[in-house]
Amino acid sequence: MFEIIKAGGWLMVPIVLCSIVAIAITVERFWALRLAKVMPKDQLPKVWMWIKNHELDSAKIKELKSGSLFGYILSSGLTASKHGREAMKDAIQEAGNHVAHEMEKFLSTLGTIAAIAPLLGLLGTVLGMIEVFTAIMVQGSGNTGVLAGGISQALITTAAGLSVAIPAVIFHRALTRRVDDLLVIMEQDSAKLVDAIHSDAKSS
């Protein structure tokens, strides 16, 4: 592997660095975006119980806020609920925007890597072909060793760039879809909480 990287020339260094960063981001985001971490199963039922038993206070809202990203949204809505339905919905929307930004952290970097990795490979191809044509001009077409070296460098960097870019594109799209799915679920559950609180307020 080291010999292949070495044969690809200096452009293999940024390509390898891109692959390391892409792997790190992918692992970190899949770990951070687990459903159990973003939306613990017991969180919403716990809130229902607090509301039903009239146990909701500032301490519990603070606990909810620090518990998870979904808890942050719920706590924002509950804090604003005393100002009416619209204020609660606006607070949830604002908190949701913050959570969306938090969940999409590093995804733009992963997308950038997916875009630039094949370009780095293409640059390696161009440099390798320049080396080939320079060797032909200087030594003629008889020196097959020099020609093969330049062509080899061109092919290695292209393959390396694509090998980094293809998985990066796949994981970027998968993670983006995961964020969208989680946001939809959180939005639906938050809307249920708004309806429940303010329908109870009307009925009382």
Side-chain angles (χ1 to χ4, degrees), residues 46-82:
K46 191 187 294 183
V47 172
W48 289 124
M49 185 182 69
W50 289 342
I51 294 171
K52 186 177 179 181
N53 298 333
H54 304 287
E55 297 175 349
L56 192 64
D57 55 22
S58 58
K60 285 186 168 54
I61 289 178
K62 188 176 181 182
E63 174 192 334
L64 186 65
K65 185 175 183 178
S66 61
S68 69
L69 293 176
F70 184 48
Y72 177 81
I73 293 176
L74 294 179
S75 66
S76 298
L78 291 169
T79 301
S81 63
K82 58 188 175 183

Coordinates of all heavy atoms in Angstrom, one line a residue, residues 46-82:
K46 N -42.0 10.7 29.7 CA -41.6 11.4 30.9 C -42.2 12.8 31.0 O -42.7 13.2 32.0 CB -40.1 11.4 31.0 CG -39.6 11.8 32.4 CD -38.1 12.1 32.4 CE -37.3 10.8 32.2 NZ -35.9 11.0 32.3
V47 N -42.2 13.5 29.9 CA -42.7 14.8 29.8 C -44.2 14.8 30.0 O -44.8 15.6 30.8 CB -42.4 15.5 28.5 CG1 -43.2 16.8 28.4 CG2 -40.9 15.8 28.4
W48 N -44.9 13.8 29.4 CA -46.3 13.6 29.5 C -46.7 13.4 31.0 O -47.6 13.9 31.5 CB -46.8 12.4 28.7 CG -46.9 12.6 27.2 CD1 -46.2 11.7 26.3 CD2 -47.5 13.6 26.5 NE1 -46.5 12.2 25.0 CE2 -47.3 13.3 25.1 CE3 -48.3 14.7 26.8 CZ2 -47.7 14.1 24.1 CZ3 -48.8 15.5 25.8 CH2 -48.5 15.2 24.4
M49 N -45.9 12.6 31.7 CA -46.1 12.2 33.1 C -46.0 13.5 33.9 O -46.8 13.7 34.8 CB -45.2 11.1 33.5 CG -45.4 10.6 34.9 SD -44.2 9.4 35.4 CE -42.8 10.3 35.5
W50 N -44.9 14.3 33.7 CA -44.7 15.5 34.4 C -45.9 16.4 34.3 O -46.3 17.0 35.3 CB -43.4 16.2 34.0 CG -42.2 15.5 34.4 CD1 -42.0 14.5 35.3 CD2 -40.9 15.7 33.8 NE1 -40.7 14.1 35.4 CE2 -40.0 14.8 34.5 CE3 -40.4 16.5 32.8 CZ2 -38.6 14.7 34.2 CZ3 -39.0 16.4 32.5 CH2 -38.2 15.6 33.2
I51 N -46.4 16.6 33.1 CA -47.5 17.5 32.8 C -48.7 17.0 33.5 O -49.5 17.8 34.1 CB -47.7 17.7 31.3 CG1 -46.5 18.4 30.6 CG2 -49.0 18.5 31.0 CD1 -46.5 18.4 29.1
K52 N -49.0 15.7 33.3 CA -50.2 15.1 33.9 C -50.3 15.2 35.4 O -51.3 15.5 36.0 CB -50.3 13.6 33.5 CG -51.6 12.9 33.9 CD -51.6 11.5 33.4 CE -52.9 10.8 33.8 NZ -52.9 9.4 33.3
N53 N -49.1 15.0 36.0 CA -49.0 15.1 37.5 C -48.7 16.5 38.0 O -48.4 16.6 39.2 CB -48.0 14.1 38.0 CG -48.3 12.6 37.6 OD1 -49.5 12.3 37.5 ND2 -47.3 11.8 37.5
H54 N -48.6 17.5 37.1 CA -48.3 18.8 37.5 C -47.0 18.9 38.2 O -46.8 19.7 39.2 CB -49.4 19.4 38.4 CG -50.8 19.3 37.8 ND1 -51.2 20.2 36.8 CD2 -51.8 18.5 38.1 CE1 -52.4 19.9 36.4 NE2 -52.9 18.9 37.2
E55 N -46.0 18.2 37.7 CA -44.7 18.2 38.3 C -43.6 19.0 37.5 O -42.5 19.0 37.8 CB -44.2 16.7 38.5 CG -45.0 15.9 39.4 CD -44.6 14.4 39.4 OE1 -43.7 14.0 38.5 OE2 -45.0 13.6 40.2
L56 N -44.1 19.6 36.4 CA -43.2 20.3 35.5 C -42.7 21.6 36.2 O -43.5 22.4 36.5 CB -43.9 20.5 34.2 CG -42.9 21.0 33.0 CD1 -42.0 19.9 32.7 CD2 -43.8 21.4 31.8
D57 N -41.4 21.7 36.4 CA -40.9 22.9 37.0 C -39.6 23.2 36.2 O -39.1 22.5 35.3 CB -40.6 22.8 38.5 CG -39.8 21.6 38.8 OD1 -39.0 21.1 37.9 OD2 -39.8 21.1 40.0
S58 N -38.9 24.3 36.6 CA -37.7 24.8 36.0 C -36.6 23.7 36.1 O -35.8 23.6 35.1 CB -37.2 26.1 36.6 OG -37.0 26.0 38.0
A59 N -36.5 23.0 37.2 CA -35.4 22.0 37.3 C -35.6 20.9 36.3 O -34.6 20.4 35.7 CB -35.4 21.4 38.7
K60 N -36.9 20.4 36.1 CA -37.1 19.4 35.2 C -36.9 19.8 33.7 O -36.5 19.1 32.9 CB -38.5 18.8 35.4 CG -38.6 17.9 36.6 CD -40.0 17.3 36.7 CE -40.0 16.2 37.8 NZ -39.5 16.6 39.1
I61 N -37.3 21.1 33.5 CA -37.1 21.6 32.1 C -35.6 21.7 31.8 O -35.1 21.4 30.7 CB -37.7 23.0 32.0 CG1 -39.3 22.8 31.9 CG2 -37.3 23.7 30.7 CD1 -40.0 24.1 31.9
K62 N -34.8 22.1 32.8 CA -33.3 22.1 32.7 C -32.8 20.7 32.4 O -31.9 20.6 31.6 CB -32.7 22.8 33.9 CG -31.2 23.0 33.8 CD -30.7 23.8 35.0 CE -29.2 24.1 34.9 NZ -28.7 24.7 36.1
E63 N -33.3 19.8 33.2 CA -32.9 18.4 33.0 C -33.2 17.9 31.6 O -32.4 17.2 30.9 CB -33.6 17.5 34.0 CG -33.3 16.0 33.8 CD -34.3 15.1 34.7 OE1 -34.7 15.6 35.7 OE2 -34.5 14.0 34.3
L64 N -34.4 18.3 31.1 CA -34.8 17.9 29.7 C -33.9 18.5 28.7 O -33.6 17.8 27.7 CB -36.3 18.3 29.6 CG -37.0 17.9 28.3 CD1 -37.2 16.4 28.2 CD2 -38.4 18.6 28.2
K65 N -33.6 19.8 28.9 CA -32.8 20.5 27.9 C -31.4 19.9 27.7 O -30.9 19.8 26.6 CB -32.7 22.0 28.4 CG -31.9 22.9 27.4 CD -32.0 24.3 27.9 CE -31.3 25.2 26.9 NZ -31.4 26.7 27.3
S66 N -30.8 19.4 28.8 CA -29.5 18.8 28.7 C -29.5 17.4 28.4 O -28.4 16.8 28.1 CB -28.7 19.1 30.0 OG -29.4 18.4 31.1
G67 N -30.7 16.8 28.3 CA -30.7 15.3 28.1 C -30.5 14.9 26.7 O -29.8 13.8 26.5
S68 N -30.9 15.6 25.7 CA -30.8 15.2 24.3 C -31.1 16.4 23.4 O -31.6 17.4 23.9 CB -31.6 14.0 23.9 OG -33.0 14.4 23.9
L69 N -30.9 16.3 22.1 CA -31.3 17.3 21.1 C -32.8 17.5 21.1 O -33.3 18.6 21.1 CB -30.8 17.0 19.7 CG -29.3 17.0 19.6 CD1 -28.9 16.6 18.2 CD2 -28.7 18.4 19.9
F70 N -33.5 16.4 21.2 CA -35.0 16.4 21.2 C -35.5 17.1 22.5 O -36.4 17.9 22.5 CB -35.6 15.0 21.1 CG -37.1 15.0 21.0 CD1 -37.8 15.8 20.1 CD2 -37.8 14.1 21.8 CE1 -39.2 15.8 20.1 CE2 -39.2 14.1 21.7 CZ -39.9 14.9 20.9
G71 N -34.8 16.8 23.6 CA -35.1 17.4 24.9 C -34.9 18.9 24.8 O -35.7 19.6 25.4
Y72 N -33.9 19.3 24.1 CA -33.7 20.8 23.9 C -34.9 21.4 23.2 O -35.3 22.5 23.6 CB -32.4 21.0 23.1 CG -32.1 22.4 22.8 CD1 -31.5 23.2 23.7 CD2 -32.4 23.0 21.6 CE1 -31.2 24.6 23.5 CE2 -32.1 24.3 21.3 CZ -31.5 25.1 22.2 OH -31.2 26.4 22.0
I73 N -35.4 20.8 22.2 CA -36.6 21.3 21.5 C -37.8 21.4 22.4 O -38.5 22.4 22.5 CB -36.9 20.5 20.2 CG1 -35.7 20.6 19.2 CG2 -38.2 20.9 19.6 CD1 -35.9 19.7 18.0
L74 N -38.0 20.2 23.1 CA -39.2 20.2 24.0 C -39.1 21.2 25.1 O -40.1 21.9 25.5 CB -39.3 18.8 24.6 CG -39.6 17.6 23.7 CD1 -39.7 16.3 24.4 CD2 -40.9 17.9 22.9
S75 N -37.9 21.4 25.7 CA -37.7 22.3 26.8 C -38.0 23.8 26.3 O -38.6 24.6 27.0 CB -36.3 22.2 27.4 OG -35.3 22.6 26.4
S76 N -37.5 24.1 25.1 CA -37.8 25.4 24.5 C -39.3 25.7 24.4 O -39.8 26.7 24.7 CB -37.1 25.6 23.2 OG -35.7 25.4 23.3
G77 N -40.0 24.6 23.9 CA -41.5 24.8 23.7 C -42.2 24.9 25.0 O -43.1 25.7 25.2
L78 N -41.8 24.1 26.0 CA -42.4 24.1 27.3 C -42.2 25.5 28.0 O -43.1 26.0 28.7 CB -41.9 23.0 28.2 CG -42.4 21.6 27.7 CD1 -41.6 20.5 28.5 CD2 -43.9 21.4 27.9
T79 N -41.0 26.0 27.8 CA -40.7 27.3 28.5 C -41.6 28.4 27.9 O -42.1 29.3 28.6 CB -39.2 27.7 28.3 OG1 -38.4 26.6 28.8 CG2 -38.9 29.0 28.9
A80 N -41.9 28.3 26.6 CA -42.7 29.4 25.9 C -44.2 29.1 26.0 O -45.0 29.9 25.5 CB -42.2 29.5 24.5
S81 N -44.6 27.9 26.5 CA -46.0 27.5 26.4 C -46.9 28.4 27.1 O -48.1 28.6 26.7 CB -46.1 26.0 26.9 OG -45.8 26.0 28.3
K82 N -46.4 29.1 28.2 CA -47.3 29.9 29.0 C -47.7 31.2 28.2 O -48.7 31.9 28.6 CB -46.6 30.3 30.3 CG -45.3 31.0 30.1 CD -44.6 31.2 31.4 CE -43.2 31.8 31.1 NZ -42.4 31.9 32.4

